[in-house]
Amino acid sequence: MSRQISSLLAIAAVCVTLAPAPAFAQAPKKTPVDCEQVKCIALTFDDGPGQYAGTLLDTLKKYHAKATFFLEGQYVKSRPAYVKRMAAEGHELGNHSYSHPDFTKSEAGTIRNEIKKTQDAVKKAAGVEPKLLRPPYGLADLQVSDIAAEFGMPMILWTAGSEDWSSKNVQAIQKKTLEVAKPNGIILMHDWVKQTVDGMPALIKTLQNKGYHLVTVSDIIKDENLEPGDVFPRPAGWEN
């Protein structure tokens, strides 16, 4: 896929509140999932690690589910044990900036600094560097694309959101997520929303009962041939 950024990506995301968790060592070996052969879905959690991340990780572990966490560097720095545990338990870590500014209203130097500080914080906490960028608020333009390319990172948005930040209601979050779930879907959620974490055991069980394998974003996009600076999924109306 060639890089084509001709307009702003306008999809809403929200910010955070957070706290610590236990540390874990080495990531377990991951059994490959072929998303062309089975139904896959990627739950993604922005703005973390949030204060309920430990409980969420317990749930994901119990149900043998994987997730992708798009982390803010400021919280990675203050709560590194969560990040270390995420990596150790086989989840994917993505870059969601350091302090969540609108990149489309930021100077190039600011964008680079936001990305680099988060890369460094995650590497310090977990020993790995994110390979995917989710720009704050899902907003990007040509400058953001070019800078993402400098870091060798495609930009990952979402196919649908759970609207958890808005409803903050367990049943509403579960209902919305199940409504928008589809094979190879990428769902936007937040681990700082308590109701999201509270409703996760029942939601995961329901998704699994519907035949879904809960995987990372990289499992979903592995055959998309994304190049650094590309955006996926592309908003409706973009040229092929």
Side-chain angles (χ1 to χ4, degrees):
M1 179 186 294
S2 62
R3 234 172 359 108
Q4 299 188 18
I5 303 285
S6 58
S7 63
L8 297 183
L9 318 177
I11 313 173
V14 184
C15 299
V16 226
T17 351
L18 312 109
F24 287 76
Q26 200 171 6
K29 284 191 176 179
K30 183 180 166 186
T31 305
V33 175
D34 186 348
C35 294
E36 290 189 352
Q37 301 299 321
V38 301
K39 283 169 64 176
C40 292
I41 194 166
L43 302 184
T44 68
F45 298 89
D46 280 14
D47 305 337
Q51 60 179 318
Y52 310 111
T55 302
L56 174 58
L57 288 168
D58 291 342
T59 298
L60 293 168
K61 185 175 183 179
K62 179 178 179 179
Y63 293 102
H64 307 288
K66 300 305 177 190
T68 300
F69 293 87
F70 286 99
L71 303 168
E72 284 187 43
Q74 61 182 330
Y75 301 118
V76 173
K77 183 178 179 181
S78 62
R79 317 212 189 281
Y82 280 146
V83 182
K84 185 175 182 179
R85 182 180 173 189
M86 289 168 182
E89 295 185 355
H91 303 293
E92 183 163 33
L93 308 182
N95 189 318
H96 194 46
S97 82
Y98 193 86
S99 60
H100 211 276
D102 181 345
F103 279 180
T104 66
K105 297 178 181 176
S106 302
E107 297 293 332
T110 298
I111 299 169
R112 290 188 182 96
N113 189 51
E114 287 276 329
I115 296 173
K116 179 67 162 59
K117 284 175 67 179
T118 299
Q119 293 293 92
D120 292 346
V122 172
K123 187 168 185 179
K124 182 176 180 181
V128 297
E129 283 190 327
K131 294 179 170 55
L132 305 174
L133 175 68
R134 176 171 281 171
Y137 309 105
L139 293 170
D141 55 17
L142 180 58
Q143 175 175 257
V144 178
S145 175
D146 287 343
I147 293 171
E150 290 175 14
F151 283 89
M153 305 168 82
M155 294 183 287
I156 302 300
L157 301 183
W158 48 91
T159 58
S162 63
E163 299 180 3
D164 57 349
W165 58 271
S166 176
S167 69
K168 294 185 179 172
N169 177 278
V170 171
Q171 289 72 32
I173 294 164
Q174 292 170 333
K175 182 174 184 289
K176 182 63 179 178
T177 303
L178 293 172
E179 282 176 357
V180 299
K182 65 178 184 178
N184 294 329
I186 299 173
I187 309 299
L188 171 64
M189 311 185 92
H190 302 83
D191 65 4
W192 58 268
V193 177
K194 184 177 186 298
Q195 294 83 355
T196 295
V197 176
D198 288 346
M200 196 55 59
L203 179 58
I204 290 176
K205 283 192 288 186
T206 302
L207 287 168
Q208 290 178 335
N209 287 339
K210 288 177 176 289
Y212 283 103
H213 294 251
L214 276 68
V215 300
T216 66
V217 166
S218 285
D219 291 318
I220 298 285
I221 67 172
K222 66 181 179 182
D223 295 322
E224 293 294 332
N225 299 316
L226 297 179
E227 297 178 5
D230 279 349
V231 59
F232 182 88
R234 285 181 292 175
W238 279 37
E239 297 176 7
N240 293 320

